[in-house]
Amino acid sequence: MAFVTKLTFQSGDKAVLDRVVDDLKQFVERKGAECRGPHSDQPKQVSVPQYRTLQPGDQFSSWTYPVYTRRLEIHGADQIAREVGLREFPDGVHLEIEVEQKKPLGHRR
């Protein structure tokens, strides 16, 4: 059975995120694995309240920043997907990994 490794990257720094995702895609393709993406989502605006003290009440204006998302899929190539999961990424880049098992057509269960 084949596995699909889905990678979701998020960061507030678009340039760093794009560089990390492009480098990773080139790495996966050089190793001979099938890589789909990167797929982009619309940037999400996040708003964080800032309080003047530790007590709720008096606050500064909220801090608002964009979060950019890129998604890649690695089909098959389990060893390459493991290598990607062990890689170090910049502090500002968050990575979420999901592994999905694909069953062949006509497979029962």
Side-chain angles (χ1 to χ4, degrees):
M1 290 191 211
F3 290 91
V4 176
T5 305
K6 297 179 179 184
L7 308 170
T8 302
F9 295 87
Q10 292 183 321
S11 179
D13 188 338
K14 185 177 185 243
V16 170
L17 179 65
D18 288 340
R19 187 185 76 233
V20 165
V21 171
D22 290 343
D23 289 349
L24 186 63
K25 181 175 173 85
Q26 289 175 6
F27 167 78
V28 170
E29 289 175 342
R30 271 196 319 268
K31 293 283 190 168
E34 181 183 351
C35 184
R36 294 186 186 163
H39 305 287
S40 302
D41 293 342
Q42 287 288 350
K44 180 171 71 172
Q45 290 293 325
V46 177
S47 182
V48 180
Q50 301 183 84
Y51 296 99
R52 292 183 189 270
T53 64
L54 295 177
Q55 307 299 325
D58 194 23
Q59 67 185 64
F60 296 107
S61 59
S62 294
W63 175 43
T64 304
Y65 62 96
V67 175
Y68 302 95
T69 303
R70 302 289 182 269
R71 291 175 283 111
L72 285 175
E73 290 182 0
I74 302 172
H75 292 260
D78 303 337
Q79 180 59 34
I80 296 169
R82 266 189 223 98
E83 286 182 44
V84 169
L86 295 173
R87 278 185 142 198
E88 295 286 327
F89 295 102
D91 289 336
V93 176
H94 173 75
L95 170 62
E96 190 174 300
I97 301 173
E98 179 184 339
V99 179
E100 185 177 300
Q101 185 175 6
K102 294 286 187 179
K103 296 179 181 170
L105 284 172
H107 185 270
R108 295 179 192 215
R109 270 197 198 198

